[in-house]
Amino acid sequence: SQQGEEDPQALSIQEGENATMNCSYKTSINNLQWYRQNSGRGLVHLILIRSNEREKHSGRLRVTLDTSKKSSSLLITASRAADTASYFCATGGSEKLVFGKGTKLTVNP
Amino acid sequence: SAVISQKPSRDICQRGTSLTIQCQVDSQVTMMFWYRQQPGQSLTLIATANQGSEATYESGFVIDKFPISRPNLTFSTLTVSNMSPEDSSIYLCSVVKTSGGDYEFFGPGTRLTVL
């Protein structure tokens, strides 16, 4: 069964705006990861946050993790048209990842 | 990082036939996985490809339908057998480079359409 549930399912914004996507999960995790998928291609790993971390940054990406609420958020600042993609959270507990349903982000130029 | 290639990149197949998808990595990796992504959906893990032994299948996936080989540490194949239109999906392989590695590198995917 799916572990992560992303919210919203789809998001459309203008270039330069910030995009926030949320992920909720159900069981204990070792880490939570975010991946990007461009138009039905392979996934690209964006960022990993461990269960003992609360916030992490990578370039224009900011990820938060609240283990008490079993939720995470991904913030993309100053969005660009090239950020248009689907974004998935994935939870890691043992050796395999469990992916959420994804958020489809469209950044309009 | 790891560079992963998949062949074919896409195919259109007839019902009842089988297709073998290849996954090649540019370096030895500890773990290889096969996922299915149905249209508009998320990724579902099919199996873990084990080098030199039978793959470990997830619930709902069986070896007769999705036989997997992994003859060495850089190569694996997934066969989709006796295909039906419901098998139309993107099939992705992924790898973990080192033991205990946390995240996966994905291949570009194989887009399969079954008529």
Side-chain angles (χ1 to χ4, degrees):
Chain A
S1 61
Q2 303 259 289
Q3 168 78 300
E5 294 281 339
E6 283 91 341
D7 160 50
Q9 292 186 349
L11 179 61
S12 181
I13 60 175
Q14 294 301 121
E15 208 164 23
E17 294 180 340
N18 295 341
T20 299
M21 289 160 270
N22 303 298
C23 170
S24 60
Y25 58 93
K26 296 175 183 174
T27 62
S28 298
I29 60 171
N30 290 339
N31 62 70
L32 187 143
Q33 307 176 33
W34 286 89
Y35 288 80
R36 184 184 73 207
Q37 184 180 37
N38 288 84
S39 189
R41 304 276 304 163
L43 275 72
V44 174
H45 181 265
L46 295 176
I47 195 165
L48 178 153
I49 186 165
R50 302 191 186 282
S51 60
N52 61 352
E53 298 176 311
R54 292 297 169 258
E55 186 172 315
K56 203 161 184 178
H57 297 255
S58 176
R60 293 184 295 113
L61 305 180
R62 173 177 169 254
V63 169
T64 62
L65 179 65
D66 187 335
T67 53
S68 67
K69 295 180 180 178
K70 290 187 168 59
S71 68
S72 173
S73 68
L74 171 67
L75 169 67
I76 304 174
T77 61
S79 65
R80 305 166 182 168
D83 294 329
T84 294
S86 291
Y87 291 82
F88 296 91
C89 68
T91 50
S94 56
E95 291 182 321
K96 58 187 181 185
L97 295 177
V98 180
F99 284 83
K101 294 181 179 179
T103 293
K104 188 169 184 178
L105 173 66
T106 302
V107 181
N108 301 301
Chain B
S1 65
V3 178
I4 305 169
S5 60
Q6 282 186 236
K7 290 181 182 180
S9 59
R10 58 177 61 220
D11 208 342
I12 300 173
C13 300
Q14 295 297 319
R15 181 195 299 259
T17 62
S18 298
L19 176 72
T20 295
I21 302 167
Q22 299 180 2
C23 178
Q24 179 75 55
V25 192
D26 67 339
S27 57
Q28 293 185 350
V29 295
T30 54
M31 303 190 75
M32 296 182 78
F33 303 95
W34 286 99
Y35 289 85
R36 180 177 73 184
Q37 186 178 27
Q38 294 175 302
Q41 301 296 313
S42 185
L43 282 74
T44 301
L45 181 64
I46 297 172
T48 303
N50 300 311
Q51 193 260 329
S53 64
E54 191 172 290
T56 305
Y57 289 85
E58 297 299 308
S59 176
F61 297 96
V62 295
I63 188 171
D64 290 345
K65 176 67 176 177
F66 297 102
I68 288 171
S69 77
R70 189 180 173 192
N72 56 52
L73 293 176
T74 64
F75 184 79
S76 178
T77 67
L78 167 75
T79 298
V80 186
S81 303
N82 188 24
M83 289 183 285
S84 67
E86 292 71 34
D87 294 319
S88 298
S89 295
I90 298 172
Y91 292 85
L92 300 114
C93 72
S94 73
V95 305
V96 173
K97 283 210 72 176
T98 58
S99 179
D102 288 319
Y103 59 87
E104 298 175 26
F105 298 92
F106 281 83
T110 295
R111 186 181 291 271
L112 171 63
T113 302
V114 184
L115 303 178

